[in-house]
């Protein structure tokens, strides 16, 4: 699933390693999406924040992420340091294989595996081992990203279990796995989108998802 991220980029780390929220993150890319966005339901009362959207090869917005809880930082050099509690919800348009606008090729279909892969890679973004030499980080990320793809491509495999969580109030089956870095889950909704999520410090078992009525309220 090849997409390009745009509209919202991670800002450089400030002193002490904390991410600086981009001066209020733009909602424009989210408004361009022809599908509904999902986040945690109203049972979650903590902070919510925009992250970034991803576009397909034809420029159409295809997926994006909404954060909940503490904005995570990749800088956690001290063993045992509190890395914050967060959950990120990834919404992916359920698209079939289709021709590119110029007719020269095909655009890949999206699936629950797409949501699982995006969630798995998203978790890695904030969890690379702090004690690792920076020169090794890219190799580690490449290796772990490939692993995330292999796992996402085998949702029926032994690394995944099934978890039922409410989506718009309806019990929905999700593929779920845990790792030393946190948890990842993925499933589908009745609204033409796939939903992935990842988090750390917040249990996935008590979460629920709901369509976001007004994405501009997050900006």
């Amino acid at each position: 699933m090849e997409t390009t991220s745009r509209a919202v980029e991670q800002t450089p780390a400030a002193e002490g390693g904390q991410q600086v929220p981009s001066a209020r993150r733009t909602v424009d890319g989210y408004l361009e999406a022809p599908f509904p966005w999902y986040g945690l339901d109203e049972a979650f009362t903590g902070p919510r924040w925009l992250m970034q959207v991803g576009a397909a090869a034809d420029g159409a917005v295809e997926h994006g992420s909404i954060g909940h809880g503490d904005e995570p930082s990749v800088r956690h050099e001290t063993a045992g340091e509190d890395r914050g509690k967060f959950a990120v919800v990834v919404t992916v348009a359920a698209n079939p294989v289709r021709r590119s606008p110029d007719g020269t090729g095909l655009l890949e279909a999206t699936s629950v595996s797409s949501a699982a892969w995006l969630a798995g890679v998203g978790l890695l973004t904030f969890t690379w081992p702090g004690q690792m030499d920076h020169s090794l980080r890219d190799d580690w990320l490449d290796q772990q990203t490939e692993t995330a793809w292999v796992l996402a491509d085998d949702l029926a495999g032994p690394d995944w279990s099934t978890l039922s969580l409410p989506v718009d109030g309806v019990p929905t089956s999700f593929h779920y796995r845990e790792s030393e870095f946190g948890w990842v889950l993925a499933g589908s909704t009745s609204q033409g989108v796939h939903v992935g999520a990842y988090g750390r410090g917040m249990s996935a078992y008590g979460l629920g998802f709901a369509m976001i009525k007004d994405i501009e309220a997050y900006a």
Side-chain angles (χ1 to χ4, degrees):
M1 179 180 175
E2 295 187 13
T3 60
T4 55
S5 297
R6 60 193 180 89
V8 183
E9 299 294 338
Q10 250 339 316
T11 54
E15 225 180 296
Q18 297 301 310
Q19 294 289 340
V20 180
S22 50
R24 251 5 276 184
R25 290 170 173 164
T26 179
V27 74
D28 292 352
Y30 293 87
L31 293 174
E32 293 175 14
F35 55 85
W37 294 103
Y38 272 78
L40 296 185
D41 62 20
E42 61 185 11
F44 176 78
T45 58
R48 299 170 182 248
W49 27 278
L50 300 178
M51 295 184 70
Q52 67 182 24
V53 300
D58 62 354
V61 173
E62 193 169 69
H63 63 83
S65 303
I66 306 289
H68 305 74
D70 302 324
E71 294 198 46
S73 168
V74 298
R75 298 289 296 279
H76 42 81
E77 307 293 342
T78 304
E81 181 181 347
D82 181 7
R83 302 178 184 179
K85 300 177 180 180
F86 68 89
V88 173
V89 179
V90 183
T91 306
V92 183
N95 290 327
V97 174
R98 59 210 187 279
R99 287 201 169 278
S100 59
D102 59 10
T104 59
L106 296 175
L107 299 176
E108 291 183 50
T110 58
S111 65
V112 177
S113 288
S114 306
W117 180 71
L118 288 167
V121 172
L123 182 63
L124 291 173
T125 303
F126 297 111
T127 53
W128 64 282
Q131 72 276 13
M132 180 181 292
D133 186 286
H134 285 247
S135 64
L136 299 177
R137 184 190 177 209
D138 287 345
D139 288 341
W140 182 87
L141 280 175
D142 286 345
Q143 180 186 54
Q144 294 299 320
T145 297
E146 177 64 24
T147 298
W149 173 250
V150 171
L151 288 170
D153 201 38
D154 185 23
L155 294 177
D159 293 291
W160 297 90
S161 59
T162 301
L163 182 62
S164 180
L165 296 172
V167 177
D168 294 324
V170 178
T172 302
S173 180
F174 284 87
H175 301 277
Y176 175 78
R177 68 177 176 87
E178 295 181 356
S179 73
E180 61 184 296
F181 309 116
W183 52 263
V184 171
L185 58 79
S188 296
T189 79
S190 62
Q191 299 299 316
V193 297
H194 306 297
V195 170
Y198 60 93
R200 184 178 63 214
M202 291 173 58
S203 172
Y205 287 85
L207 300 182
F209 304 96
M211 188 190 304
I212 296 172
K213 295 183 174 68
D214 181 14
I215 191 66
E216 291 187 84
Y218 284 58

PDB file of all heavy atoms in Angstrom, residues 102-115:
ATOM      1  N   ASP A 102      -4.767   8.692 -15.022  1.00  0.00           N
ATOM      2  CA  ASP A 102      -4.226   8.829 -16.375  1.00  0.00           C
ATOM      3  C   ASP A 102      -4.357   7.541 -17.190  1.00  0.00           C
ATOM      4  O   ASP A 102      -3.938   7.466 -18.341  1.00  0.00           O
ATOM      5  CB  ASP A 102      -2.762   9.277 -16.339  1.00  0.00           C
ATOM      6  CG  ASP A 102      -1.877   8.292 -15.573  1.00  0.00           C
ATOM      7  OD1 ASP A 102      -2.356   7.192 -15.237  1.00  0.00           O
ATOM      8  OD2 ASP A 102      -0.707   8.640 -15.316  1.00  0.00           O
ATOM      9  N   GLY A 103      -4.932   6.501 -16.561  1.00  0.00           N
ATOM     10  CA  GLY A 103      -5.169   5.256 -17.283  1.00  0.00           C
ATOM     11  C   GLY A 103      -3.949   4.401 -17.527  1.00  0.00           C
ATOM     12  O   GLY A 103      -4.011   3.405 -18.249  1.00  0.00           O
ATOM     13  N   THR A 104      -2.827   4.756 -16.900  1.00  0.00           N
ATOM     14  CA  THR A 104      -1.582   4.034 -17.178  1.00  0.00           C
ATOM     15  C   THR A 104      -1.331   2.863 -16.237  1.00  0.00           C
ATOM     16  O   THR A 104      -0.401   2.092 -16.448  1.00  0.00           O
ATOM     17  CB  THR A 104      -0.375   4.987 -17.089  1.00  0.00           C
ATOM     18  OG1 THR A 104      -0.336   5.563 -15.771  1.00  0.00           O
ATOM     19  CG2 THR A 104      -0.508   6.101 -18.123  1.00  0.00           C
ATOM     20  N   GLY A 105      -2.128   2.733 -15.215  1.00  0.00           N
ATOM     21  CA  GLY A 105      -1.880   1.653 -14.268  1.00  0.00           C
ATOM     22  C   GLY A 105      -3.049   1.461 -13.330  1.00  0.00           C
ATOM     23  O   GLY A 105      -4.117   2.038 -13.522  1.00  0.00           O
ATOM     24  N   LEU A 106      -2.822   0.638 -12.299  1.00  0.00           N
ATOM     25  CA  LEU A 106      -3.859   0.345 -11.322  1.00  0.00           C
ATOM     26  C   LEU A 106      -3.432   0.846  -9.953  1.00  0.00           C
ATOM     27  O   LEU A 106      -2.255   0.790  -9.597  1.00  0.00           O
ATOM     28  CB  LEU A 106      -4.114  -1.162 -11.248  1.00  0.00           C
ATOM     29  CG  LEU A 106      -4.671  -1.841 -12.512  1.00  0.00           C
ATOM     30  CD1 LEU A 106      -4.747  -3.345 -12.291  1.00  0.00           C
ATOM     31  CD2 LEU A 106      -6.022  -1.269 -12.887  1.00  0.00           C
ATOM     32  N   LEU A 107      -4.396   1.338  -9.178  1.00  0.00           N
ATOM     33  CA  LEU A 107      -4.162   1.723  -7.794  1.00  0.00           C
ATOM     34  C   LEU A 107      -4.539   0.544  -6.904  1.00  0.00           C
ATOM     35  O   LEU A 107      -5.547  -0.121  -7.136  1.00  0.00           O
ATOM     36  CB  LEU A 107      -5.002   2.947  -7.428  1.00  0.00           C
ATOM     37  CG  LEU A 107      -4.726   4.209  -8.247  1.00  0.00           C
ATOM     38  CD1 LEU A 107      -5.689   5.324  -7.842  1.00  0.00           C
ATOM     39  CD2 LEU A 107      -3.288   4.666  -8.063  1.00  0.00           C
ATOM     40  N   GLU A 108      -3.720   0.292  -5.910  1.00  0.00           N
ATOM     41  CA  GLU A 108      -3.921  -0.867  -5.044  1.00  0.00           C
ATOM     42  C   GLU A 108      -5.224  -0.771  -4.268  1.00  0.00           C
ATOM     43  O   GLU A 108      -5.667   0.311  -3.888  1.00  0.00           O
ATOM     44  CB  GLU A 108      -2.769  -0.983  -4.055  1.00  0.00           C
ATOM     45  CG  GLU A 108      -1.443  -1.372  -4.668  1.00  0.00           C
ATOM     46  CD  GLU A 108      -0.367  -1.535  -3.604  1.00  0.00           C
ATOM     47  OE1 GLU A 108      -0.624  -2.245  -2.619  1.00  0.00           O
ATOM     48  OE2 GLU A 108       0.697  -0.949  -3.750  1.00  0.00           O
ATOM     49  N   ALA A 109      -5.829  -1.920  -4.010  1.00  0.00           N
ATOM     50  CA  ALA A 109      -7.001  -1.979  -3.140  1.00  0.00           C
ATOM     51  C   ALA A 109      -6.552  -1.801  -1.696  1.00  0.00           C
ATOM     52  O   ALA A 109      -5.392  -2.055  -1.352  1.00  0.00           O
ATOM     53  CB  ALA A 109      -7.701  -3.324  -3.307  1.00  0.00           C
ATOM     54  N   THR A 110      -7.470  -1.351  -0.861  1.00  0.00           N
ATOM     55  CA  THR A 110      -7.199  -1.283   0.568  1.00  0.00           C
ATOM     56  C   THR A 110      -8.042  -2.336   1.270  1.00  0.00           C
ATOM     57  O   THR A 110      -9.067  -2.776   0.756  1.00  0.00           O
ATOM     58  CB  THR A 110      -7.527   0.110   1.142  1.00  0.00           C
ATOM     59  OG1 THR A 110      -8.907   0.412   0.883  1.00  0.00           O
ATOM     60  CG2 THR A 110      -6.653   1.169   0.504  1.00  0.00           C
ATOM     61  N   SER A 111      -7.593  -2.737   2.443  1.00  0.00           N
ATOM     62  CA  SER A 111      -8.263  -3.819   3.165  1.00  0.00           C
ATOM     63  C   SER A 111      -7.998  -3.657   4.654  1.00  0.00           C
ATOM     64  O   SER A 111      -7.324  -2.717   5.091  1.00  0.00           O
ATOM     65  CB  SER A 111      -7.716  -5.161   2.691  1.00  0.00           C
ATOM     66  OG  SER A 111      -6.329  -5.272   3.035  1.00  0.00           O
ATOM     67  N   VAL A 112      -8.518  -4.585   5.445  1.00  0.00           N
ATOM     68  CA  VAL A 112      -8.224  -4.589   6.878  1.00  0.00           C
ATOM     69  C   VAL A 112      -6.716  -4.725   7.094  1.00  0.00           C
ATOM     70  O   VAL A 112      -6.155  -4.137   8.020  1.00  0.00           O
ATOM     71  CB  VAL A 112      -8.984  -5.726   7.584  1.00  0.00           C
ATOM     72  CG1 VAL A 112      -8.613  -5.771   9.071  1.00  0.00           C
ATOM     73  CG2 VAL A 112     -10.484  -5.546   7.431  1.00  0.00           C
ATOM     74  N   SER A 113      -6.043  -5.467   6.221  1.00  0.00           N
ATOM     75  CA  SER A 113      -4.590  -5.605   6.334  1.00  0.00           C
ATOM     76  C   SER A 113      -3.894  -4.260   6.170  1.00  0.00           C
ATOM     77  O   SER A 113      -2.870  -3.998   6.805  1.00  0.00           O
ATOM     78  CB  SER A 113      -4.062  -6.600   5.289  1.00  0.00           C
ATOM     79  OG  SER A 113      -4.430  -7.927   5.618  1.00  0.00           O
ATOM     80  N   SER A 114      -4.437  -3.398   5.309  1.00  0.00           N
ATOM     81  CA  SER A 114      -3.874  -2.054   5.143  1.00  0.00           C
ATOM     82  C   SER A 114      -3.930  -1.293   6.460  1.00  0.00           C
ATOM     83  O   SER A 114      -2.964  -0.640   6.868  1.00  0.00           O
ATOM     84  CB  SER A 114      -4.653  -1.270   4.074  1.00  0.00           C
ATOM     85  OG  SER A 114      -4.721  -1.959   2.853  1.00  0.00           O
ATOM     86  N   ALA A 115      -5.080  -1.377   7.142  1.00  0.00           N
ATOM     87  CA  ALA A 115      -5.234  -0.704   8.422  1.00  0.00           C
ATOM     88  C   ALA A 115      -4.302  -1.285   9.475  1.00  0.00           C
ATOM     89  O   ALA A 115      -3.706  -0.564  10.293  1.00  0.00           O
ATOM     90  CB  ALA A 115      -6.694  -0.788   8.890  1.00  0.00           C
TER      91      ALA A 115
END
